[in-house]
Structures are given as C-alpha cells and as structure tokens.
Amino acid sequence: MVRPSNALTRPGRLIASAFAAALAAGTALLSLPIATSSGTVPPLVDALFTATSALCVTGHVVVDTGTFWSPFGQVVILVLIQVGGFGVMSLATLLGLLVARRLGLRTRLTAVNETHSVALGDVRRVLRGVGTITLVVEASVTVLLTARFATAYGHPPGTALWEGVFHSVSAFNNAGFALRSDSLVAYATDPWVCLPICAAIIIGGLGFPVVMELVRGRRPRTWTLNTVTVVVGTGVLLLLGGAVLTALEWTNPATLGALRPEQRLLAGFTAGVMPRTAGFNNIDIGAMHPASWLVTDVLMFIGAGPAGTGGGLKITTFAVLLFIVLAELRGDAAVNMFNKRLPRSTHREALTVALVAVAVVVTATFAIMLMTTVRLDRVLFEVISAFSTVGLSTGITADLPRAAQLILVALMFMGRLGPVALASSLALRRTSRLYELPKERPIIG
C-alpha cells in the first residue's frame, strides 16, 4: 500500500514552507544597497518587516515606501505583493480540491454538484481562472488610475503609469502599500481614484470561488452557500462599516469634519472599505475617535471572503458562528444558514479557528504591552491589523521596539497562513474515534 506524501497529508506545512522561502528571498533582495534610495544597506529588521508585510499583503510599514526604497526596492515589494496575493488565492483554491480528493467518490461528486466548482483535478483551469481574474482587474484599474494621475495631477506618463500599476496591484491584493507617505489622504475627495481602488479591494476580498461563480452569470437562486454568505456578508459589512464610521467621524475636524458633505460621504465609504483587509488610509487613522478604532477592530478581525486576497477570520467563519448563536437562542435542533443545514463538523471548525485567532490576538497584545507604554486601544488596533493582514495603523508601528515589530512580523505570517492551514488540517484529519465516552453536561452560564 502506498502511503500519501507529506505534501498531501500536511498541506499547511507545504504552504508555510513555500511562503517562508519566498520571504527569505524577498528579505535578501531588500537588504541589498540597491534596494534603498540612499544606496546603503537597510537594517535587517526593516527589510524583514517590509518583505513580510508585502508577501502577506498586509501594508504595515516601518519606513516610508515611496522615499526609503529605490525603484528596485519598490519593484521587489510589488512582486512580493503579487506573489502573496496570487499564491494564497491559488493555494487556497487548490487546497479545496485536495480536501475533496480525500473524501469518498460519492462525497466528491456531491461536493462538485453542490458547489458548482471546478472539476476535480482540473488544476490548470483553476490557475488559469485565477490568473485571468487577476490580470483583468489589475489592468482595468491601472488604466483608470494612470489616466487620472496623468490628467488631473499632472504626473509624467511614466510616473503616472508606475503609480497606476503599483496602486492597482496593491489594491486588488488587499496589500495597502502606497507610494505616498500619507497613503490615499491626498486623494480622499477624488472619486476617480478612490472608487476604482475600492472596487479592486472588494473584488479581491470576495475570494476566487465567489468571483468565478459571479463571472459565470449564475442566478442568485443557484448560488452556492459560500457565495451567498460572502456576497451578503460583504454587502452588510460594507454598508454598516461605512455608515458607522461616517457617523462617528462626521464632525471630527481632523478626519471628515473639514470636508463638504458629499466629500464626507465618499471619504466615509472609502474608510469603511479599507478595514476589509485593504490597508490604505484615506483619513488620518491616528486622529480618529477611539470608538471608530473599535469599529475598525471588529471589521478587520472579521476580514474578507475565503480563498481570496483578504485576511481576517473570514466572513464565512463569522457567519457560521452567528447562525450557531441564533440557532441556540431559538432552540433549533440544527443550524441552518440561508436554507442550508450546516454539518456539525463545520460548527467545530469555525469555533476552533475563531478561538485560536482570539488567543493569538490576546497573547500578542499582552506581549507588546509589556514592551511599551502605548495605550491598550492603539496596541490592540495594531495587533488586529497585523494578524488580519490589513495594514492600517494609528501611527505607532515605526516607534515600537524591535522586539514588538518582530511580533508583528510573526502575526502577519500567521494571519496570512494560519486560518487556511488550520482549517485545512481540521478538514483533512484522518483519525476517527471508534468509541464514545459517556455524556455529562457541565453548568453553562
């Protein structure tokens, strides 16, 4: 009998190893003198932090991207962003096929029919679909941004094209890297810049399986449970997030208060899109109301759709937890979500991923607070932003001790790969207990 290889039984280890190798290469390239505008060797932690942030499509920075790094360094960052975004999308999707292969034939056929997904083993078609979506979205946004930068802001054609490409790739991959030190603050009132970037962020955050199903033009009644959950969840979070942040910051002169009403609506909507793990900031995050930080914390922690370029807990995981609570409150025997019944294994997987994520965030926040005198709300914001691969910051990243910055590096890496690897390992577990222990209920509440 031929035993499956470790690549099949431990896909999380394979993905982590691949990303670690890419991270080492990116760090080495950014450590070269040619990578900095000054022509000097940058500190190793700065190179490692930037490479991790780019590869994990986060957007956290300890040095200014547009001035500290040379054109060569910026190209390295852009390549890392593209590899991180495209790689995670491809690997997450292929991981779904891998999980299906481990099931029985009948279950595999049922999964294909119910999810309307790609045929088992059709790896080329999967990668071709991911590549096509990536190319079309990034090229379209690049054209719009390049034209706007050239006509409205007077940038030379070459500069306009480079800024268009860089911000397009960064937006679609939910990376949040920008070439200006104030990110998108200078464009906060320009819909021809903000809206294309928001569109790229939203599409990348939906996830490859959802985008493919939408591209096929299927009617909503035939959508898979994953697509319905992601589309509905994304819409609700975008509307609620944008509305709440706009209301909280409406009179804040340091954020939205100084703008005209129609500009406040645009800037508020854009600010609500960014916590969907994008990382650009169009308003001063450090000047926001603490209540706005808390709302942003929640949005960042929930994150985007699975098998996409966004991070976080994932909308589907949060939705499963929400429907578990609703079913328990109603006294239902089963958990139903959008007219589909969830298997009990899905309950356990969602709870496990959520509790592990909470534990990681709490532990990292506690560790960083031991190293610095920064307030809890700012540290928590930074930690959630790193773990959810968002990249938004209240302005403390560069001032943190090196040890705290290394914790953020670990958080970005775990946040990008952890949920996918953990969920896949739970789905691929092979052992099953052949007996049951006697039942007994502890007191709850």
Side-chain angles (χ1 to χ4, degrees), residues 368 374-375 378-379 382 393-401 405:
I368 293 178
V374 180
R375 285 170 20 199
R378 289 180 179 268
V379 174
E382 204 81 7
S393 174
T394 59
I396 67 172
T397 309
D399 298 327
L400 290 174
Q405 292 176 355

Side-chain angles (χ1 to χ4, degrees), residues 84-386:
F86 182 85
V88 170
M89 290 177 69
S90 303
L91 291 172
T93 303
L94 294 177
L95 204 55
L97 296 178
L98 176 62
V99 172
R101 279 199 196 98
R102 293 297 308 277
L103 303 175
L105 177 60
R106 180 174 303 186
T107 305
R108 282 188 287 161
L109 294 175
T110 302
V112 171
N113 291 329
E114 288 184 350
T115 61
H116 307 287
S117 60
V118 294
L120 295 175
D122 196 359
V123 177
R124 292 182 183 177
R125 184 160 164 253
V126 174
L127 294 177
R128 188 165 56 245
V130 175
T132 301
I133 291 172
T134 302
L135 180 62
V136 169
V137 175
E138 291 180 356
S140 300
V141 176
T142 295
V143 171
L144 294 174
L145 293 180
T146 300
R148 188 61 175 174
F149 290 146
T151 58
Y153 298 96
H155 295 336
T159 302
L161 177 60
W162 171 240
E163 292 194 0
V165 170
F166 192 95
H167 288 91
S168 173
V169 173
S170 184
F172 177 72
N173 290 285
N174 280 231
F177 276 87
L179 295 177
R180 292 179 59 95
S181 58
D182 61 356
S183 192
L184 299 183
V185 173
Y187 311 117
T189 60
D190 189 344
W192 295 100
V193 173
C194 291
L195 294 183
I197 287 178
C198 286
I201 291 167
I202 294 171
I203 294 173
L206 288 175
F208 167 68
V210 174
V211 175
M212 282 298 294
E213 189 161 0
L214 296 178
V215 168
R216 290 171 187 159
R218 297 184 183 275
R219 293 176 296 176
R221 288 185 301 175
T222 64
W223 285 355
T224 63
L225 178 59
N226 182 72
T227 298
V228 173
T229 304
V230 171
V231 171
V232 172
T234 298
V236 170
L237 291 173
L238 286 175
L239 291 176
L240 283 180
V244 173
L245 289 176
T246 302
L248 290 173
E249 299 298 321
W250 188 264
T251 58
N252 186 346
T255 55
L256 301 182
L259 306 177
R260 297 197 303 269
E262 67 276 12
Q263 294 175 338
R264 297 182 199 182
L265 293 176
L266 172 63
F269 169 76
T270 305
V273 172
M274 296 311 162
R276 316 302 307 126
T277 80
F280 294 106
N281 65 283
N282 64 319
I283 58 178
D284 186 358
I285 301 298
M288 291 171 63
H289 193 282
S292 299
W293 290 344
L294 181 59
V295 172
T296 306
D297 285 340
V298 174
L299 294 174
M300 292 191 299
F301 189 71
I302 294 174
T309 61
L313 188 67
K314 298 297 188 294
I315 291 174
T316 46
T317 305
F318 178 78
V320 168
L321 297 175
L322 177 62
F323 278 91
I324 289 175
V325 172
L326 293 177
E328 192 64 28
L329 292 176
R330 290 194 297 252
D332 296 339
V335 178
N336 301 315
M337 190 167 75
F338 298 114
N339 298 319
K340 296 290 181 68
R341 181 170 59 86
L342 298 177
R344 293 189 179 275
S345 59
T346 302
H347 309 176
R348 295 193 298 270
E349 291 168 11
L351 287 169
T352 301
V353 172
L355 290 177
V356 169
V358 170
V360 170
V361 168
V362 170
T363 302
T365 301
F366 176 76
I368 293 178
M369 289 192 68
L370 293 177
M371 305 175 186
T372 180
T373 58
V374 180
R375 285 170 20 199
L376 171 62
D377 51 2
R378 289 180 179 268
V379 174
L380 181 63
F381 190 100
E382 204 81 7
V383 167
I384 293 177
S385 181

Side-chain angles (χ1 to χ4, degrees), residues 13 37 67 115 190 303 320 377 389 434:
R13 179 182 299 179
S37 57
T67 58
T115 61
D190 189 344
V320 168
D377 51 2
T389 68
L434 301 179

